[in-house]
Amino acid sequence: MGCDGGTIPKRHELVKGPKKVEKVDKNAELVAQWNYCTLSQEILRRPIVACELGRLYNKDAIIEFLLDKSSEKALGKAASHIKSIKNVTELRLSDNPAWEGDKGNTKGDKHDDLQRARFICPVVGLEMNGRHRFCFLRCCGCVFSERALKEIKAEVCHTCGAAFQEDDVIVLNGTKEDVETLKRRMEGRRLRSKLGKKTKKPKVAESLSKSDVSEEAPGPSKMKTGKPEETSLDSQEKKTTLPPGSAAAQGSSSGKAGKPPCGAMKRSIADSGESEAYKSLFTTHSSAKRSKEESAHWVTHTSYCF
């Protein structure tokens, strides 16, 4: 019952007001973002990768997610924009020499300083604990603080020397506005890659068709120029105007394709109006013939036996 024994209740005890909204502790949120994987909620272990929206993951967790997409997980929404391993970049992180980790905590009675970060900026030396804005480059994966990029303005990476543009700079664990801008960049990048693939396909098809046409087309030796009647007349004129020395060469070269009958060849040389010196070169000439007395015995074989 209450209200006996001289107790005086107060208003907040009798009247229930609206429930207070529970506020998330900022330090706990920073620790969860910078020390734990967004997908598996496990402690970040190398190799560590980052997506195009600036979230940190364990590479093993990403590979398992890509291989087993059928499993319905609530945390799968955090990586729904990752379609392949090419959509993430492996980070090159610089270790913090002041971070001891679990080295001195052998008995389990040591306090873990969550404000001390595992990694630092290699240029300025700021700790990557969420209090300072950090970003990485898509082209090489090197991680720097935003202050280092602003103070040392360069178009080349400070550690590996790789060239980069403004679109390659991605803020790690940025605000909602940063995530929206990164999302727009990601969609535009993927659209351009799709259009580039579509334009490459017709070019490849055209090159293949051109190669096929060139193979089918006859070469310069097979091409015929002029009318067949004209070519036959020209060839006949060339045959008649050939010198005597070239006639023998032509006969020897054309003998492989199709030899004319021997009688026709002998008659053409004997009946021709050439000099006797030229005719004496051939065996059909009277000077080349030998009598039976001059010929060798039938047992021996000489080139003069006819």
Side-chain angles (χ1 to χ4, degrees):
M1 296 292 291
C3 296
D4 53 349
T7 58
I8 301 169
K10 293 181 181 179
R11 185 179 181 280
H12 71 275
E13 294 176 353
L14 299 173
V15 181
K16 292 182 179 180
K19 290 183 179 181
K20 293 181 180 179
V21 180
E22 294 181 0
K23 293 183 179 179
V24 181
D25 188 12
K26 288 184 178 179
N27 293 329
E29 189 178 3
L30 291 174
V31 168
Q33 284 181 348
W34 293 92
N35 293 333
Y36 291 88
C37 174
T38 310
L39 186 60
S40 62
Q41 298 299 315
E42 296 178 357
I43 296 173
L44 288 171
R45 294 184 180 86
R46 284 179 171 169
I48 300 169
V49 296
C51 66
E52 292 174 306
L53 301 181
R55 294 168 185 162
L56 298 172
Y57 306 90
N58 286 328
K59 194 172 184 179
D60 300 337
I62 291 291
I63 292 169
E64 289 176 5
F65 169 73
L66 292 172
L67 292 174
D68 187 19
K69 287 186 177 180
S70 60
S71 59
E72 295 178 358
K73 298 178 182 179
L75 296 172
K77 295 178 181 178
S80 60
H81 60 284
I82 299 173
K83 306 298 180 184
S84 68
I85 199 69
K86 293 180 180 179
N87 298 139
V88 294
T89 307
E90 189 170 344
L91 301 180
R92 297 181 181 179
L93 297 161
S94 303
D95 294 322
N96 186 4
W99 187 75
E100 295 180 357
D102 297 334
K103 293 178 182 178
N105 193 11
T106 55
K107 297 180 181 178
D109 57 350
K110 188 179 179 181
H111 173 68
D112 293 333
D113 188 8
L114 297 175
Q115 301 302 321
R116 184 62 59 88
R118 291 171 58 191
F119 309 108
I120 58 171
C121 173
V123 180
V124 184
L126 296 174
E127 293 186 352
M128 201 173 76
N129 53 8
R131 293 183 179 180
H132 309 281
R133 285 168 65 87
F134 272 73
C135 50
F136 75 94
L137 305 178
R138 283 184 63 253
C139 55
C140 59
C142 298
V143 182
F144 305 98
S145 62
E146 198 175 43
R147 185 189 296 179
L149 288 176
K150 286 182 179 178
E151 288 180 0
I152 306 170
K153 293 181 178 180
E155 295 180 355
V156 176
C157 179
H158 300 307
T159 56
C160 65
F164 68 93
Q165 298 176 355
E166 292 183 2
D167 293 340
D168 296 329
V169 180
I170 295 175
V171 181
L172 289 170
N173 292 324
T175 59
K176 291 182 178 178
E177 295 176 356
D178 295 332
V179 172
E180 286 178 1
T181 54
L182 290 172
K183 202 170 187 177
R184 273 189 254 112
R185 282 186 193 174
M186 178 184 70
E187 290 172 356
R189 204 180 295 120
R190 291 182 181 180
L191 236 171
R192 285 195 297 271
S193 66
K194 283 183 181 178
L195 291 171
K197 287 178 182 177
K198 287 181 180 178
T199 52
K200 281 180 183 178
K201 285 181 181 179
K203 287 181 180 178
V204 172
E206 285 178 6
S207 62
L208 289 171
S209 63
K210 284 180 181 178
S211 62
D212 294 339
V213 169
S214 63
E215 287 177 1
E216 291 176 1
S221 60
K222 295 180 182 178
M223 294 292 287
K224 294 183 179 180
T225 56
K227 295 180 182 179
E229 295 177 357
E230 293 178 359
T231 52
S232 61
L233 290 170
D234 294 338
S235 62
Q236 287 177 2
E237 288 176 3
K238 284 179 183 177
K239 285 180 182 177
T240 54
T241 55
L242 280 172
S246 62
Q250 188 179 0
S252 62
S253 63
S254 62
K256 294 179 181 179
K259 292 183 177 181
C262 296
M265 191 68 185
K266 288 176 183 177
R267 281 196 299 273
S268 63
I269 294 167
D271 299 337
S272 62
E274 301 294 336
S275 63
E276 290 295 327
Y278 176 72
K279 288 180 182 181
S280 64
L281 295 172
F282 301 95
T283 56
T284 55
H285 193 256
S286 59
S287 63
K289 292 179 180 180
R290 297 189 177 213
S291 63
K292 290 181 181 181
E293 295 174 357
E294 292 177 356
S295 62
H297 196 263
W298 63 273
V299 176
T300 59
H301 172 75
T302 59
S303 60
Y304 299 106
C305 296
F306 299 104

